[in-house]
Amino acid sequence: MGQCESCLRNFFNPSGRSSRSRISRPELITIDPLALNVREVDLLIDRNTLKHHTNQFEITTRPFDPALVVRRGSPFQIKVLFQREARSSDDVVNLVFRVKDASSPKYSQGTEIILPLSDENFNEISPRLSNYKSKQWDVSIVRWEARSLVLEINSAVDCIVGEWTLTIETRSRTSGNRRYSSHTIRRRIFILFNPWNRDDPTYLRDPRKRDEYVLNDNGIIWKGTSNRLRRSPWSFGQFEENILECCIRLLSRVGKLSVIDRSDPVKVARHLSQIVHTANGEGVVVGNWSGKYRGGKDPSEWAGSQIILEKFYKTGRPVKYGQCWVFSGVLTTVCRCLGIPARPVTNYESAHDTHNSLTVDRILSEDGELVEPGKGDSVWNFHSWTEIWIKRPDLSVTGVYDGWQVIDATPQEPSDGLYRCGPTSVNAVRNGEVLREFDGKFVFAEVNADEVFWLKRGDREPVKFLGSDTAIIGQNISTKEIGNNERRDLTVNYKYKESSPEERETMLKALLQCNSVFSRYYLNDEFNDIRFEILLLDDVLIGKPFNVRLKVYNKSNQVYTIVATIRVHTTLYTGHIHALVKKDIKELRISPSSDMELKSEIKYDDYGDHLIDQSSFSVQVVARVLENDFHYSARDDFRVRMPDIEIQVEGDVFEGRPFRCHAFFKNPLPKKLTKGIFLVEGPGLGSPLKIPLKESVKQDEEARVTFILTPKTEGEKTINVRFTSKELRDVDGHRKVRVSKFMNFVSLENLDRNFRRSANNTIDD
């Protein structure tokens, strides 16, 4: 008997290696020796996860208690070993799948699935090929021997995403009596969305795009301003330890997404945009735009999603703090982890329309100061959200709204009573279909609103239309290019070329669908040709002085006297004013058909103490023509540039072998950097490496650190380095390295000896 048992064990584990981590054994219960009892179950994790593109998940490779992670609608196999030989005339086997967190699993709701191998006996079952495809749950026998079965299971292409349990139930007829046995597999089974299956709503045909938007665990989130775009590396880490479990918890225990709705990526995406932040009372990341981050981390210090999600998973408490790019990065991680193709997208000069007018309304005093700043519409220097690739059968059966959809986890405006946004069809936005679900008006305004300026002279006087800028909102909409870290421009996906007839027609179509007083008033006013242009340097390094230049164009045939007020503020990247840096009042007389330029110089001493997150500025100009009381307003935003951290790597990089790196940059400020800290994320580091500087760094001196990394696996890896100090923050740099397979000297020597021996034999022959 012992020899037989050994043979059966070898059948389930042909390699002869210990199968402890792959085999599910029965619970310690009383076993009826006459029943068809399950002895062992092998989930064939290595084979199945490789086929399902889930082999990178840490949970599938753990030395103890690994889990099976598969994608719905694609077959996977398991091996079942029984205590005795199955008799075709007496035994029936059922597989019972249940959604683990379903309170009362039901077949009618898709939370309990029963797959019989036969109604009465095995003779009715015909083995089928492993490429058999079905859109519904199905099971077939691949191989059947005396005490073992190799089964192929196909989950429904629209089954519920989450953690499932599997129970094998048997019914036997022996000596006229019925014998029953039930064995629940203790191994965890996760079923995800399937972008590889053309019948799944997440299906993405292009394999390069699947590699980028589902499997790539590193990327770029664009930041900065429209005239100074800045790439910021981000580690998504969707395959790391505890991340999958955390993402499943976000579906099942955070918010109020029903179990049934977890089969629909539209509803899942809307739910995720609601619970990645905490504005609705529960969620992952606490938003903070105050510039004060006591009790948490400055949002600019985050370099990836893993630490955030791990901390939330282990503590159950929200993580402090985040801003739009953090929400976008975390949301992209969760979507990729669950199998929804996703990418972070950044929109420059992004409008925040608070009253659904599709215009950004700037109400100014005669002095050029915003009336009630912070309470109305605003324009963010940049705003990051997430795009996902799904079908939208809820919008059209023709598929016209399928493809990329906007979901936004930054809490800006309520949608149906909760802070959430999307999914919004990018195609619908481009064509001005602002009434399509979900949140079409808000997203359209973000990328294509007109900025309108109004003058308010007194409480009893109506506002006066000053003018508008039809081309400033929605610039350089950006994401990472496929296969490299370059920028991919998505602007044409969201709107027609600015000021083109098609774009103006789309804007008019959208405005006519609004009921806002501002939009109706704006439609009845003419645009003006008088123009003020703010000329800014496009590359101002922090610490250096710069000039704000105002160019005035007079296209008329008259001489005019103009009084212009130039105000320079530091702002949050959300466009909200932080502090006044400088105010200049200039007067000039401009000749017919000519242009003139005014200049205001800003030094570091003027702005250094007022800088806040992203080091952003806003320039606001209000000009008045004295001869006819005509008013005009213009605005522009810009950002001073941070120094880049340079990363040097010594020698070649091999798997399992330490290598040395150097990171450094030059201090651009006219003062010392104190309490400097480098934060390193790279191959082989489970958590970021924190390296404090021992001494302060003087002006024009280098801040430099050296560190050692040991990569665990081969392939292309990314080293991310950030720097923060009391005087300078949000400095970063990144570098790609190629990790090669290590071959020791002895192996190379033997290989060379064998090669020479083989060559000599060939010559002798």
Side-chain angles (χ1 to χ4, degrees):
M1 180 65 181
Q3 292 178 348
C4 293
E5 290 178 354
S6 176
C7 291
L8 289 171
R9 280 195 293 271
N10 289 335
F11 170 77
F12 270 75
N13 188 19
S15 66
R17 293 175 293 181
S18 172
S19 59
R20 181 178 304 171
S21 64
R22 302 296 186 210
I23 304 299
S24 176
R25 302 183 183 278
E27 303 286 351
L28 294 177
I29 59 175
T30 303
I31 297 177
D32 185 340
L34 298 179
L36 183 63
N37 297 302
V38 174
R39 178 170 184 164
E40 293 176 342
V41 176
D42 190 342
L43 296 181
L44 303 176
I45 292 175
D46 293 339
R47 179 193 305 178
N48 288 321
T49 55
L50 184 63
K51 183 177 179 181
H52 283 247
H53 309 280
T54 57
N55 54 306
Q56 296 184 60
F57 281 102
E58 181 275 339
I59 196 174
T60 68
T61 60
R62 293 175 182 173
F64 298 99
D65 294 327
L68 175 63
V69 182
V70 294
R71 302 190 186 276
R72 65 184 192 177
S74 292
F76 61 94
Q77 295 182 358
I78 66 172
K79 291 181 180 180
V80 183
L81 177 64
F82 298 106
Q83 291 278 11
R84 63 165 175 78
E85 181 178 350
R87 294 186 289 268
S88 61
S89 59
D90 298 325
D91 299 318
V92 174
V93 178
N94 289 332
L95 306 184
V96 183
F97 285 89
R98 297 184 179 93
V99 177
K100 184 175 181 180
D101 59 297
S103 57
S104 180
K106 297 178 182 178
Y107 174 80
S108 60
Q109 296 180 341
T111 54
E112 180 181 67
I113 305 296
I114 301 175
L115 302 177
L117 291 184
S118 172
D119 292 334
E120 293 295 331
N121 56 62
F122 290 161
N123 290 332
E124 297 181 11
I125 299 177
S126 299
R128 282 175 277 185
L129 298 177
S130 62
N131 63 355
Y132 174 80
K133 292 183 178 180
S134 172
K135 294 182 181 180
Q136 302 302 318
W137 282 91
D138 188 78
V139 61
S140 60
I141 298 177
V142 176
R143 186 164 64 249
W144 174 21
E145 297 181 357
R147 294 193 181 191
S148 65
L149 289 173
V150 177
L151 305 176
E152 183 165 277
I153 301 161
N154 197 84
S155 60
V157 75
D158 60 351
C159 82
I160 294 166
V161 167
E163 184 174 355
W164 289 72
T165 64
L166 170 59
T167 299
I168 300 178
E169 298 178 347
T170 66
R171 185 175 75 247
S172 305
R173 184 163 42 205
T174 305
S175 302
N177 297 320
R178 291 191 180 275
R179 311 276 181 169
Y180 298 93
S181 177
S182 177
H183 170 68
T184 298
I185 297 173
R186 291 185 294 178
R187 290 282 173 264
R188 305 175 74 181
I189 300 174
F190 296 90
I191 300 180
L192 309 179
F193 291 107
N194 192 353
W196 281 262
N197 188 314
R198 66 178 63 253
D199 295 314
D200 194 300
T202 64
Y203 174 64
L204 187 55
R205 182 178 180 180
D206 189 336
R208 292 178 65 248
K209 292 181 179 179
R210 290 196 299 258
D211 288 345
E212 180 69 47
Y213 302 135
V214 181
L215 300 181
N216 192 358
D217 58 0
N218 275 282
I220 295 291
I221 299 178
W222 292 88
K223 297 161 67 174
T225 58
S226 59
N227 59 357
R228 186 67 190 176
L229 281 62
R230 176 189 170 208
R231 71 185 71 195
S232 182
W234 191 268
S235 174
F236 298 111
Q238 67 266 35
F239 303 117
E240 300 299 328
E241 184 179 4
N242 297 324
I243 301 303
L244 177 59
E245 299 99 306
C246 181
C247 294
I248 297 300
R249 178 179 292 180
L250 293 178
L251 294 183
S252 59
R253 300 184 190 179
V254 184
K256 296 181 179 179
L257 181 67
S258 72
V259 176
I260 301 172
D261 287 343
R262 299 210 309 252
S263 65
D264 185 350
V266 174
K267 295 177 180 177
V268 167
R270 188 154 174 79
H271 170 77
L272 294 177
S273 76
Q274 169 191 329
I275 53 86
V276 165
H277 63 78
T278 60
N280 296 311
E282 56 181 337
V284 180
V285 183
V286 180
N288 185 340
W289 289 265
S290 69
K292 300 176 182 179
Y293 307 115
R294 186 175 181 180
K297 182 176 285 191
D298 182 334
S300 64
E301 294 181 18
W302 297 114
S305 307
Q306 180 185 354
I307 299 175
I308 295 172
L309 290 169
E310 272 194 335
K311 189 173 183 180
F312 176 79
Y313 178 71
K314 292 177 179 179
T315 66
R317 295 192 297 270
V319 179
K320 300 177 180 180
Y321 293 102
Q323 292 177 4
C324 71
W325 67 92
V326 179
F327 294 119
S328 173
V330 172
L331 184 55
T332 301
T333 295
V334 176
C335 289
R336 290 186 183 183
C337 182
L338 296 175
I340 302 175
R343 61 188 184 187
V345 171
T346 296
N347 176 39
Y348 291 91
E349 300 295 333
S350 185
H352 181 180
D353 178 17
T354 59
H355 45 260
N356 289 325
S357 66
L358 302 187
T359 57
V360 175
D361 299 294
R362 302 282 195 175
I363 303 176
L364 305 172
S365 69
E366 290 190 276
D367 196 29
E369 192 170 1
L370 280 173
V371 177
E372 296 185 350
K375 294 185 179 180
D377 296 346
S378 60
V379 179
W380 297 28
N381 296 153
F382 71 92
H383 178 49
S384 298
W385 56 68
T386 299
E387 276 186 0
I388 59 170
W389 180 276
I390 59 174
K391 295 178 181 177
R392 291 300 301 271
D394 57 316
L395 297 184
S396 172
V397 295
T398 66
V400 66
Y401 300 113
D402 293 351
W404 291 113
Q405 317 285 321
V406 172
I407 55 174
D408 192 350
T410 301
Q412 292 180 290
E413 294 294 321
S415 174
D416 297 329
L418 294 172
Y419 282 93
R420 54 189 171 182
C421 183
T424 311
S425 167
V426 174
N427 289 338
V429 170
R430 187 173 193 265
N431 292 307
E433 300 285 346
V434 297
L435 299 183
R436 298 286 179 180
E437 297 284 13
F438 295 91
D439 309 308
K441 288 184 181 180
F442 188 80
V443 177
F444 181 91
E446 286 183 301
V447 300
N448 205 20
D450 287 350
E451 187 172 29
V452 185
F453 298 95
W454 311 88
L455 178 65
K456 186 175 182 181
R457 287 177 164 175
D459 294 337
R460 297 184 179 182
E461 294 186 38
V463 293
K464 177 184 177 181
F465 176 72
L466 296 178
S468 64
D469 192 330
T470 64
I472 192 172
I473 301 300
Q475 299 185 33
N476 300 323
I477 303 176
S478 306
T479 192
K480 174 187 166 308
E481 186 56 86
I482 297 172
N484 60 60
N485 286 338
E486 298 305 311
R487 187 180 77 91
R488 182 169 191 164
D489 194 291
L490 304 177
T491 309
V492 71
N493 292 6
Y494 283 84
K495 58 183 179 178
Y496 295 97
K497 185 178 179 180
E498 280 293 359
S499 303
S500 67
E502 295 87 354
E503 187 270 335
R504 286 292 88 197
E505 182 180 345
T506 302
M507 183 65 193
L508 179 61
K509 174 183 175 181
L511 284 169
L512 291 173
Q513 297 176 68
C514 290
N515 295 318
S516 169
V517 173
F518 280 103
S519 59
R520 291 201 302 271
Y521 190 10
Y522 175 50
L523 283 170
N524 292 326
D525 279 90
E526 297 180 356
F527 295 94
N528 294 276
D529 292 332
I530 298 176
R531 186 162 65 94
F532 289 78
E533 185 179 4
I534 301 172
L535 305 176
L536 295 171
L537 296 175
D538 61 357
D539 188 14
V540 180
L541 182 65
I542 189 171
K544 307 302 180 185
F546 60 90
N547 293 317
V548 176
R549 295 151 55 207
L550 175 65
K551 200 160 190 178
V552 184
Y553 297 87
N554 180 9
K555 296 182 179 181
S556 72
N557 57 3
Q558 301 181 45
V559 177
Y560 286 108
T561 306
I562 295 175
V563 177
T565 302
I566 303 173
R567 302 173 67 93
V568 180
H569 294 88
T570 54
T571 66
L572 298 171
Y573 80 96
T574 60
H576 291 118
I577 290 173
H578 173 62
L580 177 65
V581 172
K582 193 171 185 179
K583 174 183 175 182
D584 267 347
I585 300 177
K586 306 281 186 177
E587 182 174 334
L588 60 86
R589 287 178 61 82
I590 186 167
S591 303
S593 302
S594 64
D595 59 76
M596 296 183 68
E597 185 175 292
L598 301 174
K599 184 172 70 173
S600 180
E601 185 180 16
I602 313 296
K603 299 178 180 179
Y604 180 76
D605 289 342
D606 296 325
Y607 69 80
D609 292 337
H610 300 301
L611 286 177
I612 199 167
D613 298 344
Q614 309 302 313
S615 302
S616 299
F617 296 83
S618 177
V619 177
Q620 181 74 56
V621 175
V622 170
R624 181 187 177 196
V625 181
L626 299 184
E627 285 77 5
N628 61 3
D629 199 33
F630 175 80
H631 286 76
Y632 193 86
S633 178
R635 182 194 63 84
D636 203 355
D637 298 314
F638 71 101
R639 179 182 189 270
V640 289
R641 175 174 61 87
M642 294 295 168
D644 295 320
I645 297 177
E646 186 174 344
I647 302 171
Q648 294 180 345
V649 176
E650 292 186 7
D652 295 326
V653 181
F654 296 99
E655 175 187 2
R657 310 294 293 181
F659 67 97
R660 189 183 302 273
C661 301
H662 307 278
F664 54 90
F665 71 95
K666 184 181 290 186
N667 174 20
L669 300 185
K671 57 183 177 181
K672 294 180 180 179
L673 301 181
T674 60
K675 299 183 178 179
I677 298 175
F678 281 89
L679 298 171
V680 180
E681 287 191 302
L685 292 176
S687 57
L689 181 64
K690 188 175 182 179
I691 310 175
L693 295 180
K694 296 180 180 179
E695 299 180 353
S696 59
V697 182
K698 297 179 181 178
Q699 181 182 5
D700 293 330
E701 286 188 352
E702 281 189 349
R704 175 183 286 265
V705 291
T706 299
F707 52 92
I708 294 176
L709 300 176
T710 306
K712 297 179 181 179
T713 57
E714 60 180 318
E716 189 177 71
K717 307 295 180 181
T718 302
I719 302 172
N720 295 329
V721 180
R722 290 178 178 268
F723 176 84
T724 182
S725 69
K726 186 177 180 181
E727 298 78 15
L728 189 64
R729 298 183 299 177
D730 202 21
V731 181
D732 60 25
H734 67 280
R735 175 168 176 168
K736 293 279 188 180
V737 294
R738 170 62 63 178
V739 180
S740 303
K741 193 75 174 178
F742 178 73
M743 298 180 65
N744 60 41
F745 176 76
V746 175
S747 299
L748 291 173
E749 186 179 52
N750 291 339
L751 182 63
D752 183 59
R753 186 184 299 113
N754 292 336
F755 176 81
R756 283 188 278 104
R757 184 184 298 121
S758 175
N760 291 334
N761 291 339
T762 302
I763 294 172
D764 292 340
D765 291 342

